Amino acid sequence: MNRRTLMASAAIGLTLAFGGTAHAQGMDKVKACFVYVGPVGDGGWTYQHEQGRLALQAEFGDKVDASTYQENVPEGADAARVLTQMALGGCNIIFTTSFGFMDATNEVAGKFPNVKFEHATGFKRDHENVSSYNARFYEGRAVQGVIAGMMTESNKIGYIGSFPIPEVIMGINAYYLAAKEVNPDVELSVVWAYTWFDPAKEADAAKAMIEQGVDVVAAHTDSTAPLAEAAKTPGVIGFGQASDMTAYKPSPRVSSIIDNWAPYYIERVGQLLDGTYEQADTWAGIKDGEVEIGEITEAVPAEVKAAAEKMRDDIAAGTHHPFTGPINKKDGTVWLAEGETAPDGDLLGMSFFVEGITADIPK
Amino acid sequence: MDLSSINPAVLIASLMVAAVPIMLAAIGELVVEKSGVLNLGVEGMMIIGAICGFITAVETGSPFLGFIGGAVGAAVLSLIFALLTQVLQANQVATGLALTLFGLGLSSLMGQGYVGIKPPATGMVPFGPLADIPVLGRVLFRHDPMVYISIGIIAAVWATLKFTRMGLIIRAVGESHDAAHALGYKVTRIRVLAILFGGAMAGLGGAYLSLIRVPQWTDGVTAGAGWIALAIVVFASWRPWRVLIGAYLFGGISVLQLNLQVANVPIPPEYLSMSPYVITIIVLVIMSSGRGRAALNAPAALGQNFHAAR
């Protein structure tokens, strides 16, 4: 046994001793740690998680130590190393905030049964101490789709996708369906950037779309670069993604999807403190305040704003589901019959475009 | 599939913009290599140029000063390389790689307070009515100044290397430093100046990324552009105008790749993304087959340290 494994097992022993007994009656002090895929200053996805972390620290003060976080962690083997280091460093609960951390999270969770792992946007919970949490971003996409469908002059709207994973695909489908509903002539272009965060590439993707006549650009990547690119061409609009991105108000940013993770982080760490923590799979949306629609600016006409706000309110009230039949898959087969709404299982494993989208999903 | 939606004029215009950073970095590296020094730290110098240019532009409000700041910042970084390899005789390959790693880390540190800020905008060069000529106007006359400056630099480097005494001396030092030394040229001084020029050009390229192309500061904004610049120098077989062609080719493929995706052409983007590197490898193989190193047109003393014994 070399020194490293010795230290690792000693640390496991320690967590067993303290964590094990503490779990039943709650804990006096929780160390919460965060793993980020981008820099906290990306102005989007990671920035919002960082805001959640700061809110957590403010909420509990001395009872929670949320000072540990790591930025720019690559999805893959490096993530497992970072997680192991955090678990050994005495973290009681670790939030891993990107889809690509899923396997690493589950792998490391198996080795540290007394550390709680919370993985964002994934679906694997191989061990009792792994929970997953996600937000119904597609609800926000439907609101954006309404704006896009009504605002486009060229009838060409675009979507910069990161990776062809269910979360992104359902966002594209929701965006398209809502746009198609208000504007039957609308065409959707999809570009896969194959990155969550590469501002130069995101900007180039937006540029390529705009050059081909797309005048509404939605992005499913993490930086503000697509909006910076859209700002160069008058008449092109876009949306804040993950964060409000107010620097680009009132145009090109006409609205936004804001991820509000703070309530979830506070709830989960609070449960750990008072001993009510249990494994969970949370998927909250507009109704629960986890997905917020940023201010719709005066750059869009009042009736567009009203239609978008109606969509938002209907979704919040539960009277409208963005995926309501009849909807066919791209290959023409029936997915949802008239009046049927999509089951969560279908959405979480979504690997097809709906009828009307001409782009293909790369295999 | 709808190829008609791709406008060739717009495509050419945007590939010219996409090529500027790698073109500037590559022409700088070409001069460095012509003088017999192999500096693999282009990526590090570019990103230092990107952050220094960004900071200068944000603090002064002037994009022009930003570009100067980027060039100066990267040139200062290249001085470290010059000190290590030319004075202390360190291995050039290892020092260059270290320079890249150092530059990436240092830029991240310097950029801490500058994330999420918009830099002052750089306008297009006003060509007046010329910009309205169909097709040609879009391709040639609607760019920011750096697009024209970068082409001007290529022409200047070409003319200097080919026609001037200074160019002849640089080439002599790169082909045989011992012979140049025997003739009384200050080999080390000439090489240090070449390294500084290479650093300044890489810095300009980096500043173009953070000030015009993206435009914002984020960690790792160069995303490998420095390595592509190094590949272009070899691809161009150390000839300035071929650097221009190489940069347009490499920049063009990255732009074309995204445009084809928008137009829904069923070519997997991965193939197009790797094609510049495949072409570089093929060119290397062709050039190095049979006729030896001279056919490659590589400077004979490339990568060799020089120490004046007396």
mmCIF file of all heavy atoms in Angstrom, chain A residues 147-168:
data_model
loop_
_atom_site.group_PDB
_atom_site.id
_atom_site.type_symbol
_atom_site.label_atom_id
_atom_site.label_comp_id
_atom_site.label_asym_id
_atom_site.label_seq_id
_atom_site.Cartn_x
_atom_site.Cartn_y
_atom_site.Cartn_z
ATOM 1 N N ILE A 147 -41.248 34.127 -29.262
ATOM 2 C CA ILE A 147 -40.638 35.404 -29.668
ATOM 3 C C ILE A 147 -39.957 35.242 -31.029
ATOM 4 O O ILE A 147 -40.128 36.063 -31.928
ATOM 5 C CB ILE A 147 -39.625 35.881 -28.606
ATOM 6 C CG1 ILE A 147 -40.332 36.088 -27.262
ATOM 7 C CG2 ILE A 147 -38.932 37.151 -29.059
ATOM 8 C CD1 ILE A 147 -39.400 36.440 -26.116
ATOM 9 N N ALA A 148 -39.203 34.146 -31.180
ATOM 10 C CA ALA A 148 -38.465 33.926 -32.428
ATOM 11 C C ALA A 148 -39.416 33.831 -33.616
ATOM 12 O O ALA A 148 -39.213 34.466 -34.651
ATOM 13 C CB ALA A 148 -37.621 32.655 -32.315
ATOM 14 N N GLY A 149 -40.481 33.038 -33.457
ATOM 15 C CA GLY A 149 -41.429 32.841 -34.561
ATOM 16 C C GLY A 149 -42.095 34.136 -34.976
ATOM 17 O O GLY A 149 -42.326 34.389 -36.168
ATOM 18 N N MET A 150 -42.407 34.979 -33.994
ATOM 19 C CA MET A 150 -43.113 36.217 -34.316
ATOM 20 C C MET A 150 -42.160 37.308 -34.800
ATOM 21 O O MET A 150 -42.548 38.191 -35.555
ATOM 22 C CB MET A 150 -43.903 36.705 -33.094
ATOM 23 C CG MET A 150 -45.040 35.751 -32.722
ATOM 24 S SD MET A 150 -45.916 36.237 -31.216
ATOM 25 C CE MET A 150 -47.079 37.434 -31.867
ATOM 26 N N MET A 151 -40.912 37.277 -34.347
ATOM 27 C CA MET A 151 -39.990 38.366 -34.662
ATOM 28 C C MET A 151 -39.233 38.173 -35.969
ATOM 29 O O MET A 151 -38.755 39.139 -36.557
ATOM 30 C CB MET A 151 -38.961 38.522 -33.529
ATOM 31 C CG MET A 151 -39.505 39.115 -32.260
ATOM 32 S SD MET A 151 -40.134 40.788 -32.490
ATOM 33 C CE MET A 151 -38.596 41.690 -32.743
ATOM 34 N N THR A 152 -39.067 36.925 -36.431
ATOM 35 C CA THR A 152 -38.210 36.708 -37.588
ATOM 36 C C THR A 152 -38.807 37.320 -38.852
ATOM 37 O O THR A 152 -39.998 37.181 -39.127
ATOM 38 C CB THR A 152 -37.896 35.212 -37.802
ATOM 39 O OG1 THR A 152 -37.084 35.092 -38.969
ATOM 40 C CG2 THR A 152 -39.166 34.393 -37.991
ATOM 41 N N GLU A 153 -37.961 38.035 -39.594
ATOM 42 C CA GLU A 153 -38.384 38.641 -40.863
ATOM 43 C C GLU A 153 -38.088 37.679 -42.001
ATOM 44 O O GLU A 153 -38.809 37.613 -42.979
ATOM 45 C CB GLU A 153 -37.600 39.937 -41.098
ATOM 46 C CG GLU A 153 -37.765 40.974 -40.002
ATOM 47 C CD GLU A 153 -38.898 41.928 -40.307
ATOM 48 O OE1 GLU A 153 -38.991 42.353 -41.461
ATOM 49 O OE2 GLU A 153 -39.691 42.233 -39.394
ATOM 50 N N SER A 154 -36.971 36.954 -41.874
ATOM 51 C CA SER A 154 -36.531 36.062 -42.951
ATOM 52 C C SER A 154 -37.148 34.672 -42.826
ATOM 53 O O SER A 154 -36.950 33.826 -43.684
ATOM 54 C CB SER A 154 -35.008 35.934 -42.908
ATOM 55 O OG SER A 154 -34.612 35.363 -41.674
ATOM 56 N N ASN A 155 -37.902 34.453 -41.733
ATOM 57 C CA ASN A 155 -38.443 33.134 -41.417
ATOM 58 C C ASN A 155 -37.359 32.087 -41.206
ATOM 59 O O ASN A 155 -37.592 30.892 -41.342
ATOM 60 C CB ASN A 155 -39.431 32.652 -42.486
ATOM 61 C CG ASN A 155 -40.730 33.428 -42.412
ATOM 62 O OD1 ASN A 155 -41.105 33.921 -41.342
ATOM 63 N ND2 ASN A 155 -41.399 33.565 -43.545
ATOM 64 N N LYS A 156 -36.150 32.561 -40.917
ATOM 65 C CA LYS A 156 -35.074 31.621 -40.603
ATOM 66 C C LYS A 156 -34.617 31.889 -39.178
ATOM 67 O O LYS A 156 -34.168 32.989 -38.860
ATOM 68 C CB LYS A 156 -33.892 31.811 -41.542
ATOM 69 C CG LYS A 156 -34.114 31.249 -42.931
ATOM 70 C CD LYS A 156 -32.842 31.437 -43.729
ATOM 71 C CE LYS A 156 -32.988 30.871 -45.132
ATOM 72 N NZ LYS A 156 -31.792 31.134 -45.922
ATOM 73 N N ILE A 157 -34.719 30.884 -38.343
ATOM 74 C CA ILE A 157 -34.240 31.036 -36.977
ATOM 75 C C ILE A 157 -33.145 30.000 -36.731
ATOM 76 O O ILE A 157 -33.089 28.981 -37.420
ATOM 77 C CB ILE A 157 -35.377 30.885 -35.945
ATOM 78 C CG1 ILE A 157 -36.037 29.513 -36.046
ATOM 79 C CG2 ILE A 157 -36.416 31.977 -36.151
ATOM 80 C CD1 ILE A 157 -37.080 29.259 -34.982
ATOM 81 N N GLY A 158 -32.257 30.292 -35.804
ATOM 82 C CA GLY A 158 -31.110 29.415 -35.591
ATOM 83 C C GLY A 158 -30.955 28.982 -34.148
ATOM 84 O O GLY A 158 -31.494 29.615 -33.234
ATOM 85 N N TYR A 159 -30.221 27.908 -33.977
ATOM 86 C CA TYR A 159 -29.973 27.361 -32.637
ATOM 87 C C TYR A 159 -28.568 26.793 -32.624
ATOM 88 O O TYR A 159 -28.242 25.904 -33.396
ATOM 89 C CB TYR A 159 -30.996 26.259 -32.355
ATOM 90 C CG TYR A 159 -31.184 25.901 -30.892
ATOM 91 C CD1 TYR A 159 -32.339 26.268 -30.217
ATOM 92 C CD2 TYR A 159 -30.232 25.161 -30.203
ATOM 93 C CE1 TYR A 159 -32.529 25.928 -28.888
ATOM 94 C CE2 TYR A 159 -30.414 24.819 -28.869
ATOM 95 C CZ TYR A 159 -31.576 25.201 -28.222
ATOM 96 O OH TYR A 159 -31.770 24.856 -26.896
ATOM 97 N N ILE A 160 -27.706 27.355 -31.773
ATOM 98 C CA ILE A 160 -26.352 26.830 -31.634
ATOM 99 C C ILE A 160 -26.377 25.770 -30.544
ATOM 100 O O ILE A 160 -26.573 26.074 -29.379
ATOM 101 C CB ILE A 160 -25.354 27.936 -31.266
ATOM 102 C CG1 ILE A 160 -25.375 29.037 -32.327
ATOM 103 C CG2 ILE A 160 -23.945 27.369 -31.114
ATOM 104 C CD1 ILE A 160 -24.582 30.267 -31.944
ATOM 105 N N GLY A 161 -26.212 24.524 -30.946
ATOM 106 C CA GLY A 161 -26.227 23.430 -29.983
ATOM 107 C C GLY A 161 -24.819 23.134 -29.517
ATOM 108 O O GLY A 161 -23.858 23.367 -30.239
ATOM 109 N N SER A 162 -24.690 22.647 -28.295
ATOM 110 C CA SER A 162 -23.370 22.262 -27.811
ATOM 111 C C SER A 162 -23.094 20.837 -28.263
ATOM 112 O O SER A 162 -22.402 20.620 -29.248
ATOM 113 C CB SER A 162 -23.315 22.384 -26.296
ATOM 114 O OG SER A 162 -24.473 21.803 -25.725
ATOM 115 N N PHE A 163 -23.665 19.881 -27.572
ATOM 116 C CA PHE A 163 -23.508 18.488 -27.939
ATOM 117 C C PHE A 163 -24.899 17.886 -28.190
ATOM 118 O O PHE A 163 -25.871 18.319 -27.592
ATOM 119 C CB PHE A 163 -22.830 17.697 -26.815
ATOM 120 C CG PHE A 163 -21.425 18.134 -26.546
ATOM 121 C CD1 PHE A 163 -21.154 19.068 -25.560
ATOM 122 C CD2 PHE A 163 -20.373 17.619 -27.283
ATOM 123 C CE1 PHE A 163 -19.852 19.480 -25.305
ATOM 124 C CE2 PHE A 163 -19.072 18.020 -27.042
ATOM 125 C CZ PHE A 163 -18.812 18.949 -26.052
ATOM 126 N N PRO A 164 -24.988 16.891 -29.077
ATOM 127 C CA PRO A 164 -26.294 16.261 -29.307
ATOM 128 C C PRO A 164 -26.702 15.330 -28.167
ATOM 129 O O PRO A 164 -26.646 14.118 -28.300
ATOM 130 C CB PRO A 164 -26.091 15.495 -30.624
ATOM 131 C CG PRO A 164 -24.635 15.359 -30.806
ATOM 132 C CD PRO A 164 -23.954 16.405 -29.989
ATOM 133 N N ILE A 165 -27.080 15.918 -27.037
ATOM 134 C CA ILE A 165 -27.534 15.147 -25.883
ATOM 135 C C ILE A 165 -29.004 15.506 -25.643
ATOM 136 O O ILE A 165 -29.476 16.534 -26.133
ATOM 137 C CB ILE A 165 -26.700 15.461 -24.622
ATOM 138 C CG1 ILE A 165 -26.716 16.970 -24.325
ATOM 139 C CG2 ILE A 165 -25.270 14.972 -24.797
ATOM 140 C CD1 ILE A 165 -26.048 17.339 -23.014
ATOM 141 N N PRO A 166 -29.749 14.647 -24.911
ATOM 142 C CA PRO A 166 -31.192 14.880 -24.768
ATOM 143 C C PRO A 166 -31.555 16.294 -24.317
ATOM 144 O O PRO A 166 -32.484 16.907 -24.849
ATOM 145 C CB PRO A 166 -31.596 13.848 -23.713
ATOM 146 C CG PRO A 166 -30.618 12.744 -23.882
ATOM 147 C CD PRO A 166 -29.322 13.388 -24.276
ATOM 148 N N GLU A 167 -30.816 16.828 -23.362
ATOM 149 C CA GLU A 167 -31.138 18.148 -22.827
ATOM 150 C C GLU A 167 -31.159 19.205 -23.937
ATOM 151 O O GLU A 167 -32.036 20.068 -23.979
ATOM 152 C CB GLU A 167 -30.096 18.516 -21.774
ATOM 153 C CG GLU A 167 -30.373 19.820 -21.075
ATOM 154 C CD GLU A 167 -29.127 20.322 -20.361
ATOM 155 O OE1 GLU A 167 -28.317 19.489 -19.937
ATOM 156 O OE2 GLU A 167 -28.988 21.545 -20.261
ATOM 157 N N VAL A 168 -30.182 19.134 -24.825
ATOM 158 C CA VAL A 168 -30.093 20.114 -25.900
ATOM 159 C C VAL A 168 -31.149 19.829 -26.962
ATOM 160 O O VAL A 168 -31.811 20.742 -27.472
ATOM 161 C CB VAL A 168 -28.674 20.117 -26.511
ATOM 162 C CG1 VAL A 168 -28.591 21.100 -27.659
ATOM 163 C CG2 VAL A 168 -27.646 20.456 -25.450
#
